[in-house]
Amino acid sequence: MRAPISNYRRKKNVVTTAAHKDWSNLHYHQDLINCFAEQIVSMKDFYAFGGVCRSWRSAAIKENSNTGLRLQHKVPVLLLPKEINAPICNFYSLTKGQIYQLDLPETMGKFCYSSLGWLLTVSEDFSKLHLFNPLTHVQIELPHLRPEIMTLRNINKFVLSSSPSWTSNYGVMIVSYHELAFYQPGYNNDKWTSVSLGLLLTLTDAIYYKGQFYVVDYLGKVFVCEIEDPKNAQIRAVAAGIPKELLFGPEIHFKAPCLVESATGTLLLVISLFEQGKTESTVGCRVFKVPFDDGNSWAKSEVKNLGNRTLFLGANNSSFSIEALDDSICKANCIYFLNRSHVSDEGHIDIGIYYMKDGKIERHFEAFPDFQYKGRSITSHSWLQPSF
C-alpha cells in the first residue's frame, strides 16, 4: 500500500533541502512532482498537494486519473451552505469525519448545483451561468438562458452527460419543476434548447443513461428526452407512474422520486417516504427497477438488496451510486439521502443513511452543529463527486 504523502515529507532528502524554498519552483523537476503525486490516497492530501500551484494540481489530477485509485477518491464530499458573499466553501469529508475549507471565490454570490464533480453556478441576479470545477478552478461560461426557455429562479436539478474535464462533447440538462432546457457546445448554434413537456408536469429529477437523458415526474412516470432535432425537442413516456396503492399508507407520503444508475447498468427509481408532520423527516426508502415497457409492473420490479452498492441522493445534485469496497468508509447496501424539506423548520436538514437490510435510519450527521445552518445561505447541501 502506498504511504500517505505526509510520510514522505518527513524524509531527510525532502525536508532538509526544500523546506525553506519556494516549492512551486519544483515544476522544473516534473519527475519529482509526479513521484509525490503518485502517493496521494486521500482527498485531504489531494487538496493540500494541488493547492501549491497550478503545475502541482495538474500532476495530482493526471496521476490519480491514470492510476485509477478506487479508495477515497470515489467517496463524495458534502458541500455545506455558506453566506452569500463568502469566498470560502466548507466541505465535510466522509472518509475523515472532518470539515475542510476551500477558497472558491468563483462561488461568491451564486447558487450552486452539482453533477459529476462539477458545479453549475448561477449568479444571484440569474444573468450568468458557468460550469465550475472546484478542484481545478476551471470555469466554463454557458450561454445566456432566455426567460422564454426557462425561469432560472425555479432550477431543481442539473445533470451532465459526461465530465468537461475529459471531453468537449458534453451535454447539460437543467431541470425546473415545469421546464427543461438542454445545451451542448456546437449544438443548436450554441444556444439553449427548450425541451417540450407537452403537458403540465412536475419534474423532480434527471439522469444521463445509456446515451440519453431521462426525467421523472412527481408520480414516478419516467420519460426519455428526444433532443436530436432542436426544433422538435420533446419527451416521451417510457414507464408509467407508480400506482398510489403501492406506496401510500394512512400516514405515509413520499418525496420527489430520484433516478440512479446501478452497477449492472440498470436504471433505478428511488422514493423517500415520510410522515406528514413538522419536519417531514424521511422514515424509509423504496427502490425499483424502471420497467421499460417490458411487461413487468412496478410491484414486480422492487429491489430489496443493493449488494455492494451505495446510493447518494441529493436535492441539489444529480443522484449517483458508488461501489462500497471493504476498506471504504461508505456503507454497502445503503442509501445516503439528502432530501428537501417542504415544511419550514429553521435549521432542519433531512439527511441520513437508510439501511436496506433492516430499514433502519442513521442520522449521525446531526451531531455536527455546522450542518444546522441558520444564516442566509445561497448554496444548499449537496453531494459532490470527486472528479479528476
Side-chain angles (χ1 to χ4, degrees):
M1 181 177 290
R2 289 171 174 163
I5 191 171
S6 55
N7 290 345
Y8 275 73
R9 287 174 179 160
R10 297 191 186 102
K11 290 187 175 182
K12 272 188 178 181
N13 62 334
V14 174
V15 175
T16 57
T17 59
H20 302 292
K21 294 184 179 181
D22 181 0
W23 282 54
S24 63
N25 290 333
L26 284 178
H27 68 271
Y28 295 111
H29 306 282
Q30 192 62 44
D31 290 342
L32 182 58
I33 296 177
N34 293 341
C35 179
F36 282 133
E38 289 176 356
Q39 314 310 319
I40 299 175
V41 295
S42 73
M43 288 305 298
K44 180 181 178 181
D45 285 340
F46 182 90
Y47 290 138
F49 190 95
V52 174
C53 64
R54 182 175 297 178
S55 61
W56 281 53
R57 185 162 59 246
S58 297
I61 294 170
K62 178 181 178 181
E63 289 302 323
N64 284 280
S65 298
N66 292 339
T67 56
L69 295 178
R70 300 187 304 159
L71 301 179
Q72 292 103 323
H73 289 173
K74 283 193 175 182
V75 177
V77 294
L78 183 62
L79 172 61
L80 303 178
K82 70 179 184 67
E83 291 286 354
I84 291 178
N85 292 316
I88 301 297
C89 286
N90 293 318
F91 295 86
Y92 174 73
S93 168
L94 289 173
T95 59
K96 298 292 184 179
Q98 297 176 354
I99 293 177
Y100 298 96
Q101 292 187 332
L102 280 182
D103 187 8
L104 301 176
E106 297 89 345
T107 65
M108 292 176 60
K110 296 177 181 178
F111 297 98
C112 295
Y113 310 83
S114 69
S115 179
L116 298 183
W118 284 71
L119 297 179
L120 172 70
T121 62
V122 182
S123 60
E124 193 174 3
D125 62 359
F126 307 101
S127 63
K128 296 181 179 179
L129 294 86
H130 291 84
L131 294 179
F132 172 61
N133 190 315
L135 294 183
T136 63
H137 290 261
V138 171
Q139 213 172 188
I140 301 173
E141 184 175 1
L142 298 177
H144 175 66
L145 190 53
R146 303 187 306 278
E148 60 267 27
I149 292 181
M150 175 174 285
T151 304
L152 288 175
R153 297 176 185 271
N154 298 320
I155 288 181
N156 189 22
K157 289 287 185 75
F158 125 84
V159 178
L160 285 168
S161 64
S162 54
S163 172
S165 300
W166 305 115
T167 178
S168 59
N169 188 32
Y170 60 86
V172 182
M173 187 69 76
I174 295 182
V175 183
S176 170
Y177 287 110
H178 307 298
E179 300 165 305
L180 204 56
F182 171 74
Y183 168 76
Q184 181 176 328
Y187 173 85
N188 194 20
N189 297 318
D190 275 330
K191 297 185 298 184
W192 286 94
T193 299
S194 176
V195 183
S196 174
L197 303 185
L199 66 165
L200 183 61
L201 298 172
T202 302
L203 301 179
T204 62
D205 201 10
I207 190 172
Y208 187 74
Y209 173 71
K210 292 188 175 181
Q212 291 179 291
F213 284 97
Y214 289 81
V215 294
V216 62
D217 73 359
Y218 191 80
L219 298 178
K221 192 172 184 178
V222 181
F223 304 82
V224 64
C225 300
E226 299 179 332
I227 52 180
E228 294 79 10
D229 180 6
K231 296 181 179 179
N232 191 34
Q234 58 187 328
I235 61 173
R236 174 175 55 85
V238 293
I242 298 180
K244 294 182 179 180
E245 59 270 18
L246 186 61
L247 296 171
F248 288 141
E251 302 295 333
I252 301 298
H253 304 267
F254 68 91
K255 298 193 177 185
C258 295
L259 295 173
V260 191
E261 182 175 1
S262 72
T264 59
T266 302
L267 184 60
L268 302 178
L269 185 141
V270 185
I271 290 179
S272 298
L273 307 174
F274 71 94
E275 293 179 333
Q276 189 73 45
K278 182 179 179 181
T279 61
E280 292 190 355
S281 295
T282 296
V283 297
C285 296
R286 301 277 293 275
V287 181
F288 301 86
K289 292 181 181 178
V290 176
F292 287 107
D293 298 328
D294 56 4
N296 289 328
S297 65
W298 285 105
K300 295 180 179 180
S301 301
E302 187 161 7
V303 176
K304 299 292 186 178
N305 193 318
L306 298 173
N308 68 340
R309 303 301 293 185
T310 306
L311 307 186
F312 287 86
L313 315 180
N316 290 311
N317 60 266
S318 54
S319 303
F320 57 93
S321 69
I322 69 171
E323 181 183 8
L325 303 178
D326 293 338
D327 51 2
S328 172
I329 193 66
C330 289
K331 304 175 188 295
N333 197 28
C334 287
I335 299 174
Y336 286 65
F337 61 85
L338 181 58
N339 290 319
R340 182 180 288 113
S341 177
H342 298 288
V343 177
S344 178
D345 182 24
E346 187 179 19
H348 172 72
I349 302 167
D350 186 16
I351 180 173
I353 305 173
Y354 175 76
Y355 290 78
M356 293 284 290
K357 182 178 180 180
D358 53 18
K360 291 183 179 179
I361 289 181
E362 179 182 347
R363 296 185 182 276
H364 71 286
F365 294 117
E366 293 180 353
F368 297 90
D370 305 74
F371 284 23
Q372 308 299 328
Y373 189 85
K374 297 184 179 181
R376 184 173 177 238
S377 167
I378 199 168
T379 65
S380 185
H381 298 76
S382 178
W383 295 115
L384 183 66
Q385 296 169 270
S387 173
F388 301 110

